[in-house]
Amino acid sequence: MSLELRQYIKEALAKGASKEQIAETLTQSGWALGIVQKTLEQFTGVDPLGVPIPAARLQAHQIARDFFVYLLTFVTLNLIAFAFGALCFELIEHWFPDVNTVYYSSRIGSRSFQWGLAQLIVVVPVFFFLERFTQQALERYPEKRESFIRKFLIYLILGMTVLVALSDLIFAVNSFLEGELTVRFAAQAGVILGIASLIFSYYFLEMQRDDRMVKGRKEISATSDGTDDPSRERKYAGQRYLGWLGLILILATIATTFFITGSPHTQRLRRLDNIRAENLETLKSTIEMKYKEEGNLPKTLAEVPNAKTLSSDPSLGLTYDYQKTGPDTFQLCSTFDTDTTNDKSNQRFYNHPKGNYCFHLVYKHSKLDKDNAGQFEFQSHP
């Protein structure tokens, strides 16, 4: 609420002016009728001495409620921004994988995908409900646009988005100067810049709307008969379009993630297959260590230390199949629930068809140190 407006109304009432006269004078001077009326409602009249009598208000309750709503909106907005960005990063890693550092096949069913989806599915409806609730409250009580809590949190959002965008641009330029601006990095930098720009634009337009309402520009003021100005919707169309654009992008990202990762049941099967792959990797390392120590391969898994705890299938209680196929060759087999043959993974146990599949390994000595160095390598790719 403008202190100048409240002080003017207080002095005018003290001098005997009626509320109708004050409202007419202020609206003719450019003040929004809605704000003028809400300010006039703060006074019930004047006492015999001509002093304006303030109306009873639950100011503490209103402040506490506004603080709760705006703070919750701020928190949910941050959760959405981080979850949406993380999900986009995972999709970029899926489309532009770095096979030297990323275990691509296991990332499709990673916790990052699931956590990002869970956050968006839960938090997005809450945020848009709060935003709708806030806008409706502002329509009924235009003076709330001058709430200190509201302005503080909005300017905090604007400041954070500017800092994030500047930091993102600095990293992008630095990577370009170092010659490391890959497609994957550029796409991730674009996601950060896009999210920051969308949030900044939405709330920048919101602050402009507040400023116009406070200044009482006639193009957004309510008409004298209490109906809305026809041009009002057009003035705020840009802000609404940004809100709808953000919602559409979020829904599209959620749908794309579900399309790539599959249903929750498929996710569970992927996690089980990843456990099988991890166990096979551990068995391979244990067998390799025993081979280096004793100079020969074990005949069965019973001869491998700790093999019993590793050879139990996570879903059906089956054991993995081990066969010694030569003096320095063996195979490990398991039954998988998903097909990952199209995954660009450099981790061979994570790359397999659906069903029973065997990995064939052969020991190869190092050309530099034949007496000590060497390892088992895969003979064929699934």
Side-chain angles (χ1 to χ4, degrees):
M1 181 61 58
S2 172
L3 295 178
E4 293 83 359
L5 177 62
R6 192 172 186 276
Q7 183 63 29
Y8 172 82
I9 292 176
K10 184 177 180 180
E11 293 179 358
L13 288 173
K15 293 180 179 180
S18 66
K19 291 186 176 182
E20 291 75 13
Q21 293 173 333
I22 296 174
E24 182 179 0
T25 301
L26 288 173
T27 53
Q28 289 178 353
S29 300
W31 284 92
L33 179 60
I35 292 180
V36 172
Q37 290 176 338
K38 291 299 179 181
T39 309
L40 286 170
E41 290 175 0
Q42 295 185 13
F43 302 95
T44 59
V46 293
D47 62 13
L49 299 178
V51 179
I53 303 173
R57 293 180 299 162
L58 297 176
Q59 188 172 4
H61 170 73
Q62 293 174 353
I63 292 176
R65 184 181 60 184
D66 290 346
F67 178 78
F68 171 78
V69 172
Y70 290 130
L71 182 61
L72 189 58
T73 302
F74 176 77
V75 172
T76 54
L77 176 64
N78 279 274
L79 289 175
I80 292 173
F82 282 106
F84 179 67
L87 206 56
C88 289
F89 274 37
E90 292 295 331
L91 291 175
I92 291 171
E93 293 286 358
H94 171 76
W95 289 319
F96 306 101
D98 185 352
V99 295
N100 294 321
T101 57
V102 178
Y103 297 160
Y104 178 80
S105 60
S106 61
R107 292 186 69 88
I108 295 179
S110 68
R111 300 280 182 182
S112 299
F113 273 112
Q114 301 164 28
W115 184 247
L117 279 173
Q119 280 187 281
L120 292 180
I121 291 173
V122 173
V123 178
V124 168
V126 176
F127 171 78
F128 279 94
F129 170 78
L130 290 172
E131 187 66 18
R132 178 61 178 168
F133 175 82
T134 301
Q135 292 299 326
Q136 289 178 342
L138 293 175
E139 292 293 331
R140 293 194 300 268
Y141 308 104
E143 70 274 10
K144 287 181 175 289
R145 292 187 178 276
E146 289 199 274
S147 166
F148 171 78
I149 299 173
R150 168 183 166 79
K151 288 186 177 296
F152 174 79
L153 290 178
I154 289 181
Y155 277 113
L156 180 60
I157 292 172
L158 294 176
M160 289 177 59
T161 54
V162 170
L163 290 177
V164 169
L166 290 177
S167 300
D168 181 57
L169 290 175
I170 290 173
F171 278 114
V173 172
N174 181 69
S175 298
F176 172 76
L177 295 176
E178 292 180 351
E180 298 181 359
L181 189 61
T182 62
V183 174
R184 184 165 56 92
F185 179 84
Q188 291 175 342
V191 167
I192 298 175
L193 184 61
I195 294 174
S197 299
L198 183 62
I199 295 175
F200 179 87
S201 300
Y202 181 86
Y203 282 99
F204 180 76
L205 292 177
E206 180 71 7
M207 291 306 296
Q208 283 190 325
R209 184 178 181 181
D210 288 351
D211 292 340
R212 291 192 183 103
M213 287 294 292
V214 171
K215 293 178 181 178
R217 293 186 180 180
K218 294 182 179 180
E219 63 266 22
I220 64 171
S221 299
T223 57
S224 58
D225 60 356
T227 59
D228 290 339
D229 187 343
S231 65
R232 192 171 187 174
E233 295 298 321
R234 294 193 300 270
K235 286 293 180 181
Y236 306 137
Q239 186 183 6
R240 290 200 309 274
Y241 291 154
L242 287 176
W244 280 108
L245 175 62
L247 180 59
I248 291 172
L249 290 175
I250 291 173
L251 294 178
T253 303
I254 292 176
T256 303
T257 304
F258 271 119
F259 176 78
I260 292 175
T261 61
S263 65
H265 176 68
T266 303
Q267 288 290 311
R268 180 177 181 276
L269 296 181
R270 284 185 177 274
R271 288 197 302 273
L272 292 175
D273 280 350
N274 287 340
I275 294 175
R276 297 183 180 107
E278 292 172 2
N279 289 344
L280 291 176
E281 181 69 39
T282 304
L283 283 174
K284 179 246 184 186
S285 300
T286 306
I287 294 170
E288 184 175 79
M289 184 180 301
K290 183 176 178 62
Y291 176 83
K292 290 181 178 180
E293 292 176 353
E294 301 179 1
N296 55 69
L297 289 169
K299 294 181 181 180
T300 64
L301 283 180
E303 301 177 16
V304 180
N306 300 323
K308 186 176 181 179
T309 59
L310 296 172
S311 59
S312 178
D313 188 278
S315 62
L316 302 177
L318 303 176
T319 57
Y320 302 120
D321 182 35
Y322 163 80
Q323 280 189 330
K324 179 181 177 180
T325 57
D328 55 1
T329 60
F330 70 93
Q331 67 179 20
L332 286 171
C333 307
S334 180
T335 301
F336 297 96
D337 293 321
T338 60
D339 184 355
T340 61
T341 54
N342 294 325
D343 293 351
K344 305 178 182 67
S345 174
N346 60 351
Q347 299 294 301
R348 297 292 294 277
F349 284 116
Y350 290 91
N351 202 319
H352 50 74
K354 182 178 180 180
N356 186 265
Y357 184 77
C358 296
F359 299 89
H360 301 273
L361 297 104
V362 58
Y363 190 83
K364 292 188 178 181
H365 294 275
S366 171
K367 295 180 180 179
L368 299 177
D369 188 359
K370 296 183 179 180
D371 296 331
N372 192 27
Q375 63 180 359
F376 280 96
E377 298 181 0
F378 292 86
Q379 284 186 299
S380 61
H381 197 281

